[in-house]
């Protein structure tokens, strides 16, 4: 009887300790938490402003079709110019894949007339 209760208690603890997929952020949430502060369009976003100052008309990340998955992974892991690298403990490879998919599939900002 005691062994049965112990087994049930262990199963319950195991079930409670596993996080569900609902708790994991998706690409949009990961982008908002880790990328948007620098890469969204407009004032106050250093990466976009730096490109404008360099007179390089590169669009904000959202909606870009010219980015390669391996390039994005490399920049995230190694950093680039002012961008610091992200460790795998901060963003896993799976997280970077989700952000990459979000960047490629999300609708970019509309251009003002």
């Amino acid at each position: 009887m005691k062994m049965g209760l112990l087994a049930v208690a262990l199963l319950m603890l195991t079930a409670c300790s596993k996080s569900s997929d609902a708790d994991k952020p998706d690409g949009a949430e990961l982008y908002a938490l880790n990328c948007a502060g620098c890469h969204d369009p407009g004032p106050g976003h250093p990466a976009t402003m730096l490109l404008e100052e360099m007179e390089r008309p590169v669009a904000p990340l959202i909606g870009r079709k010219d980015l390669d998955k391996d390039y994005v992974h490399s920049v995230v892991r190694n950093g680039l110019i002012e961008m610091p690298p992200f460790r795998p403990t901060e963003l896993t490879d799976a997280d970077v894949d989700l952000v990459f998919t979000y960047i490629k599939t999300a609708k970019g900002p509309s251009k003002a007339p």
Side-chain angles (χ1 to χ4, degrees), residues 21-94:
D21 286 341
D23 294 340
K24 294 180 182 177
D26 63 9
E29 290 173 297
L30 290 166
Y31 176 86
L33 290 169
N34 298 286
C35 312
C38 292
H39 291 283
D40 271 358
H45 300 97
T48 308
M49 290 171 53
L50 178 63
L51 290 172
E52 288 173 3
E53 287 175 11
M54 295 170 61
E55 296 181 3
R56 293 181 62 193
V58 177
L61 287 180
I62 298 299
R64 286 193 50 189
K65 307 295 185 207
D66 62 329
L67 296 175
D68 176 73
K69 188 180 209 177
D70 290 336
Y71 174 74
V72 171
H73 272 268
S74 177
V75 170
V76 168
R77 289 290 172 244
N78 301 306
L80 181 67
I81 307 171
E82 298 289 328
M83 180 178 157
F86 285 81
R87 296 176 298 227
T89 55
E90 296 169 311
L91 281 173
T92 66
D93 287 342

Side-chain angles (χ1 to χ4, degrees), residues 85-105:
F86 285 81
R87 296 176 298 227
T89 55
E90 296 169 311
L91 281 173
T92 66
D93 287 342
D95 291 341
V96 177
D97 288 343
L98 288 170
V99 170
F100 175 76
T101 300
Y102 173 70
I103 288 169
K104 295 287 273 192
T105 60

Side-chain angles (χ1 to χ4, degrees), residues 1-8:
M1 178 79 169
K2 288 182 182 178
M3 290 301 277
L5 288 174
L6 181 60
V8 170

